[in-house]
Amino acid sequence: MNHNDIKQEVTGWLEQNWSTELSLLEWRNRLLEGGWAAPNWPVESLGRGYSVDETQVVNDVFRRLGIVFASQGGPRRLAAETILAHGNDEQKQRYLKQTLTGEHAWCQLFSEPGSGSDLAGSSTKAEKRDGRWIINGQKVWTTSAHHADYGILLARSDWDLPKHQGLSYFLIDMHQPGVEVRPLRQMNGHASFNEVFMTDAEVSFDDLLGGEGNGWAVAASTLSVERRGFAQARQSGISSVERVGRVYDEYEAELAIDNEPYTWYPQRQGRVDLVLDRAKKTGAIASASTRQEIAKLLSMKRASELAAEQAEATRRAGTNEIIPAGSIGKLAASVIARQAAHVHTLISGSDAMLSGEHSAESGMVAETLISVPAISIAGGTDEIQRNIISERVLGMPKEQRSDTGPFRDIKRNT
Amino acid sequence: MQKEFTSDQHQFRQSLARFMQAKSTPVDVRRQMLTEQGYDAEVWQQLCAELGVAGIHIPEQYGGFGFGQIELGIVMEEMGKNLFCGPFLASSVMASSALLHCASEAYKEQLLPDIAMGVSIVTLVLDSLDGPEDVGSLLHEDGGVLNGAAKIVLDAASADLMLVVASSSSGLGLFLVKANDTGVNVTSRESLDPTRKLSEVALINVSAQRVGDVDLGNLQEIWRDCSVALAHEMVGGAQHLLTSTVEYTKLRVQFGRPIGSFQALKHRCADLLMEVEFARAATYHAARLLDAGNAAGLAAVNESEAEVYAPHMAKALAADTYCNVARAAVQLRGGIGFTWEDDTHLWFKRAKSSEVLLGGPDRHREWMMQLIEGEVS
Ligand SMILES: Cc1cc2nc3c(=O)[nH]c(=O)nc-3n(C[C@H](O)[C@H](O)[C@H](O)COP(=O)(O)OP(=O)(O)OC[C@H]3O[C@@H](n4cnc5c(N)ncnc54)[C@H](O)[C@@H]3O)c2cc1C
């Protein structure tokens, strides 16, 4: 579609429909009715079937006018995209709308104490009993579980099949007696992730996503959405337009909850944005060796953005080339974060010993130094990204497997 | 020059290791790091009484045991392994080094014996912890009165006495101040490494006694001695983390096998072992050179003369190594390594803090080059 036509259409629609006096829910329901909540989704699933470029046109208009978007905070996007890709009509009906309106919050119940990198090694049990699925097991590192209404859950429905084949993917109601969420504190003092204990938790047959035994394929698509997210910096939804009115107030309240577990995420990315100012302010920029390190950092950062843009362009051009951007982007983010921590240390000198409000950048530098280690672990470790890049992108021979045969016979953590 | 540890030194290390394992467990460390002083005074006294650590390297004439940098290094290394919480670095290492290098005979006799016994906690107040060249711009003495502030002072909250390096009309001087004198303002600062207690010290019209003269030369000597001691602490910490990390990779199973069987992790650990061995070799070497130099008068020792940069090489290598091992220690544990509950972060934070204390690796490598150039020209 012609970009100008899109711009006109959306602007016209907004003139008719956007009002800051609506409640957040009223507004988001209008968005859905108008088909503007997720324009890139198919027409039959709440969207307009727009391409990436076309969607960008819509987003630009929203951003310029300060319009509140559909809800996408936290793991919502992971859940929504996965349900869109693998759900049946009835499941899409049941979950997508209220996820986009923000009524439903989600968490990702994948990692377990015994299986992190080896997600397919899940040993959470899913059994059919009395006309529903009964779930027993423990999940861990579950970000936002303390705010979640539903979870996307990977569990083992068959122990006699090879490990990837015995998994199923469920949508589980977090508000039930069989689900207990306990916060876990991190080395940087925040507690954004949790342990989740499931004891005879229940899932209806209708909430099996993508078919029994198909859990691994479904989980893989969630993970690819997640990896793409790592490389992109979090975009704040709204421009500098003055935010007065009910819809903004309610949106701010939603953001405050959604973002609570993520307040330190910019720090785990290394806070490259602070580097130049700090180097100038402290005079560290005069040091030849520090200048070198800053230049290396800025080059890495810029080159990774350029590589991502080029990959995106290739993707849009629709060639069949393998595009390594996803895994490389995640690995790049972690290399950049480490170099940024190194540079911040150089700039601080012995002041790097301090933390808290009265230390550099109101404590954000110290928080960076002790948050950066997370980025090379969360969402698949650096080592796992390197395995993926070498085996899937470069086509190098795979490691010999030690985890074939029936799952119950595979060596596990005890 | 000594190349090996003597059997006495081995035994001393073993006694220390036993003490640390009993009294400085992660549970102890976690308890102490939440207190204001940051250490258990009883355990400190016991350590001083049983093993005489506080005065290990202080000459016998000043109430110490008269051993050298090697024994001091052994203490620091064993403390570093177990993250021992106590005022050892502040009082026995930094303050005594300042006294030994700068104070008049009378003040050495007055102050060192109590430090050596561990009964008096003295801290060195420097207005920069980055490098000797930077000291003396924020603290000033005029007519026997001190004014100014130091942003970071170790263990000031538990110190009885402070030794302040300040500029004066007759150059830099070392001044003695009682911690509870009026005008001495100690404000606790939040520390990235909660096992190391830091304060800001502000002096407002504090009358002080001048205990000696300071110049760039003896500041460099203080820096050198303390850096070598700190390098030992870092080598100890790095060794501890490498050992525990390797153990973890043998136990943790993913993909049907111990993660230690993945070559990516083996290679990383092998590289780290090389780093640790290098850092250790350089650090021991630096301590031995200092001892040989001190025994013979530095200039008289050919060997040590040729390597005056050794302390800086040791501090830089130890700092980089400790930080690299600490990063790997978190990474190879995966999610567990990033939790508060797991102990790894305690060492991770110490690594970061020791990396920059007394100048980061970049500063030390720069000094190293200056000394090498100086020798050449
Ligand atoms: C801040 C944060 C937020 C998180 N949020 C979530 C969440 O919301 N939901 C969720 O489900 N999970 C979440 N995670 C968990 C994260 O995905 C796992 O921690 C991660 O996948 C690693 O798993 P693990 O912790 O079990 O470590 P392990 O898998 O035990 O890994 C230990 C070490 O072994 C290495 N290793 C493992 N396999 C191989 C191999 N084949 N080759 C080479 N090296 C290997 C790893 O790279 C790592 O260094 C989060 C983690 C963090 C730190």
Side-chain angles (χ1 to χ4, degrees):
Chain A
M1 237 177 120
N2 180 299
H3 286 187
N4 266 329
D5 293 348
I6 296 179
K7 205 179 282 178
Q8 264 183 2
E9 191 182 346
V10 67
T11 314
W13 184 85
L14 284 170
E15 274 164 16
Q16 298 294 313
N17 289 279
W18 166 248
S19 156
T20 55
E21 287 318 308
L22 294 173
S23 78
L24 186 60
L25 186 57
E26 284 163 350
W27 163 240
R28 292 240 176 89
N29 278 323
R30 279 195 193 182
L31 259 184
L32 276 161
E33 281 158 29
W36 298 108
N40 57 320
W41 287 10
V43 181
E44 61 281 9
S45 301
L46 310 170
R48 302 180 152 250
Y50 279 6
S51 69
V52 178
D53 284 341
E54 290 165 343
T55 307
Q56 193 58 41
V57 175
V58 177
N59 289 350
D60 288 345
V61 172
F62 270 53
R63 224 166 264 135
R64 190 163 37 82
L65 300 176
I67 309 293
V68 173
F69 284 88
S71 186
Q72 45 188 265
R76 269 195 195 96
R77 204 172 57 90
L78 303 184
E81 296 281 348
T82 311
I83 294 169
L84 180 70
H86 297 276
N88 55 35
D89 288 344
E90 199 242 329
Q91 287 167 329
K92 290 183 199 166
Q93 274 292 327
R94 198 161 54 241
Y95 291 108
L96 291 182
K97 269 195 181 161
Q98 280 160 303
T99 303
L100 290 176
T101 59
E103 289 163 276
H104 290 171
W106 290 81
C107 66
Q108 178 189 16
L109 299 162
F110 283 11
S111 304
E112 297 177 14
S115 61
S117 297
D118 181 17
L119 276 181
S122 166
S123 57
T124 291
K125 267 200 185 86
E127 297 161 288
K128 281 186 249 186
R129 219 191 286 157
D130 308 331
R132 45 192 154 64
W133 289 96
I134 301 293
I135 313 291
N136 279 287
Q138 187 195 338
K139 296 288 175 175
V140 73
W141 325 129
T142 317
T143 306
S144 298
H146 52 306
H147 297 315
D149 303 302
Y150 293 92
I152 42 180
L153 169 71
L154 187 64
R156 185 159 305 280
S157 47
D158 191 329
W159 291 60
D160 295 312
L161 288 172
K163 74 172 185 180
H164 293 89
Q165 295 166 27
L167 295 168
S168 297
Y169 194 113
F170 304 94
L171 309 174
I172 187 174
D173 184 349
M174 296 293 284
H175 303 298
Q176 59 168 307
V179 176
E180 190 197 343
V181 178
R182 285 188 214 154
L184 265 176
R185 198 167 171 212
Q186 297 142 205
M187 67 178 269
N188 61 5
H190 290 276
S192 50
F193 51 37
N194 302 272
E195 297 176 288
V196 177
F197 297 86
M198 288 162 293
T199 316
D200 287 338
E202 301 183 4
V203 173
S204 90
F205 283 158
D206 298 336
D207 285 325
L208 170 72
L209 192 71
E212 190 175 341
N214 197 32
W216 185 244
V218 182
S221 83
T222 308
L223 293 176
S224 82
V225 178
E226 183 176 19
R227 259 168 223 142
R228 262 181 276 140
F230 266 90
Q232 301 157 354
R234 282 183 165 272
Q235 291 185 336
S236 74
I238 290 185
S239 74
S240 53
V241 172
E242 214 187 345
R243 304 179 177 201
V244 189
R246 180 169 178 197
V247 74
Y248 284 128
D249 295 343
E250 292 184 16
Y251 176 62
E252 288 297 331
E254 175 189 274
L255 275 186
I257 294 176
D258 279 358
N259 290 345
E260 176 267 322
Y262 303 101
T263 51
W264 57 280
Y265 273 41
Q267 281 68 268
R268 83 177 191 182
Q269 304 251 15
R271 291 310 298 264
V272 181
D273 58 320
L274 297 177
V275 162
L276 272 181
D277 270 358
R278 292 193 65 226
K280 286 181 199 155
K281 217 161 42 187
T282 57
I285 200 156
S287 149
S289 59
T290 303
R291 293 168 77 83
Q292 289 283 324
E293 296 306 311
I294 295 175
K296 280 188 212 164
L297 170 65
L298 298 180
S299 313
M300 282 180 201
K301 173 99 164 104
R302 187 69 191 118
S304 82
E305 287 162 3
L306 291 169
E309 280 169 25
Q310 280 162 23
E312 185 58 32
T314 313
R315 206 169 66 81
R316 280 187 220 175
T319 62
N320 285 330
E321 279 175 71
I322 298 180
I323 306 166
S327 281
I328 285 184
K330 163 101 175 63
L331 189 59
S334 111
V335 174
I336 291 165
R338 275 199 294 280
Q339 174 69 2
H342 173 57
V343 167
H344 277 302
T345 308
L346 284 174
I347 294 172
S348 294
S350 58
D351 285 354
M353 296 170 79
L354 300 172
S355 66
E357 228 178 298
H358 300 293
S359 66
E361 306 288 337
S362 308
M364 288 306 107
V365 172
E367 185 161 293
T368 297
L369 299 182
I370 57 174
S371 297
V372 157
I375 196 155
S376 47
I377 300 171
T381 65
D382 281 7
E383 288 75 17
I384 294 301
Q385 302 310 322
R386 293 192 186 102
N387 287 347
I388 293 173
I389 294 168
S390 56
E391 293 180 1
R392 297 206 203 135
V393 183
L394 296 174
M396 295 170 83
K398 292 210 155 98
E399 283 261 338
Q400 294 258 332
R401 300 212 70 109
S402 324
D403 54 354
T404 50
F407 181 77
R408 61 171 82 252
D409 301 334
I410 297 172
K411 186 178 168 73
R412 294 200 297 279
N413 294 294
T414 39
Chain B
M1 193 180 80
Q2 187 180 338
K3 295 272 181 203
E4 267 295 317
F5 288 109
T6 63
S7 65
D8 282 351
Q9 287 166 342
H10 272 301
Q11 265 176 18
F12 179 55
R13 183 189 293 281
Q14 276 165 11
S15 313
L16 270 162
R18 272 195 301 275
F19 188 93
M20 293 298 152
Q21 279 152 24
K23 303 283 179 177
S24 183
T25 66
V27 175
D28 298 318
V29 172
R30 282 174 185 269
R31 190 179 322 120
Q32 292 315 318
M33 76 187 193
L34 297 177
T35 65
E36 197 188 327
Q37 289 214 326
Y39 68 96
D40 183 334
E42 229 170 87
V43 172
W44 169 248
Q45 280 309 325
Q46 200 187 344
L47 178 64
C48 295
E50 284 176 19
L51 293 161
V53 298
I56 189 77
H57 62 301
I58 294 176
E60 281 164 299
Q61 75 213 79
Y62 308 123
F65 281 90
F67 292 108
Q69 291 288 329
I70 298 178
E71 287 79 3
L72 175 63
I74 293 174
V75 175
M76 285 296 283
E77 189 179 343
E78 295 306 313
M79 285 181 169
K81 273 183 200 163
N82 296 278
L83 282 183
F84 180 78
C85 297
F88 186 75
L89 177 63
S91 191
S92 293
V93 180
M94 293 175 66
S96 16
S97 174
L99 285 170
L100 286 167
H101 286 293
C102 307
S104 68
E105 214 36 48
Y107 276 108
K108 287 184 191 169
E109 282 167 16
Q110 180 193 323
L111 297 172
L112 283 168
D114 283 351
I115 294 181
M117 297 287 290
V119 294
S120 166
I121 308 300
V122 185
T123 190
L124 182 61
V125 180
L126 296 166
D127 49 19
S128 169
L129 290 173
D130 287 312
E133 305 89 336
D134 304 342
V135 172
S137 60
L138 302 174
L139 287 160
H140 309 283
E141 181 263 359
D142 191 17
V145 172
L146 287 172
N147 276 291
K151 197 156 38 161
I152 305 176
V153 178
L154 267 56
D155 290 319
S158 43
D160 319 302
L161 298 172
M162 297 182 183
L163 287 165
V164 183
V165 176
S167 59
S168 71
S169 54
S170 55
L172 288 173
L174 186 66
F175 298 89
L176 180 65
V177 164
K178 285 209 196 65
N180 57 9
D181 273 352
T182 42
V184 178
N185 299 293
V186 177
T187 316
S188 289
R189 298 293 310 265
E190 209 174 300
S191 168
L192 181 112
D193 165 17
T195 67
R196 179 168 270 153
K197 294 298 168 185
L198 307 177
S199 303
E200 177 168 342
V201 173
L203 304 175
I204 304 164
N205 294 328
V206 178
S207 49
Q209 307 159 47
R210 188 178 184 109
V211 307
D213 296 334
V214 180
D215 61 21
L216 185 60
N218 44 37
L219 271 177
Q220 284 167 337
E221 285 171 344
I222 295 169
W223 232 264
R224 188 192 66 191
D225 291 358
C226 297
S227 295
V228 172
L230 199 51
H232 280 87
E233 179 214 89
M234 293 191 278
V235 166
Q239 179 66 65
H240 164 83
L241 282 184
L242 180 58
T243 308
S244 65
T245 302
V246 167
E247 274 317 301
Y248 185 79
T249 67
K250 293 177 188 170
L251 296 174
R252 172 75 175 169
V253 175
Q254 292 289 276
F255 303 97
R257 56 200 259 197
I259 57 171
S261 71
F262 292 114
Q263 244 174 25
L265 303 198
K266 283 185 192 161
H267 288 185
R268 185 150 178 191
C269 292
D271 283 345
L272 290 173
L273 176 64
M274 182 174 76
E275 277 198 56
V276 170
E277 290 302 317
F278 281 10
R280 186 201 315 282
T283 299
Y284 289 176
H285 183 62
R288 287 165 184 162
L289 284 173
L290 288 180
D291 279 351
N294 289 341
L298 194 56
V301 180
N302 290 335
E303 236 179 330
S304 54
E305 211 178 25
E307 283 186 310
V308 283
Y309 60 81
H312 300 303
M313 177 171 84
K315 170 74 167 49
L317 282 172
D320 283 343
T321 299
Y322 198 1
C323 288
N324 285 341
V325 174
R327 271 202 296 112
V330 174
Q331 179 67 19
L332 269 52
R333 282 167 172 81
I336 275 282
F338 193 67
T339 60
W340 188 267
E341 196 178 297
D342 188 79
D343 295 324
T344 309
H345 72 99
L346 303 175
W347 276 267
F348 181 97
K349 291 168 184 171
R350 171 59 69 84
K352 205 71 214 158
S353 161
S354 294
E355 176 193 9
V356 296
L357 175 56
L358 299 175
D362 55 320
R363 297 292 296 257
H364 282 273
R365 281 190 285 264
E366 176 56 34
W367 293 323
M368 177 175 164
M369 290 310 293
Q370 287 172 9
L371 289 166
I372 289 174
E373 272 187 321
E375 275 165 25
V376 171
S377 63

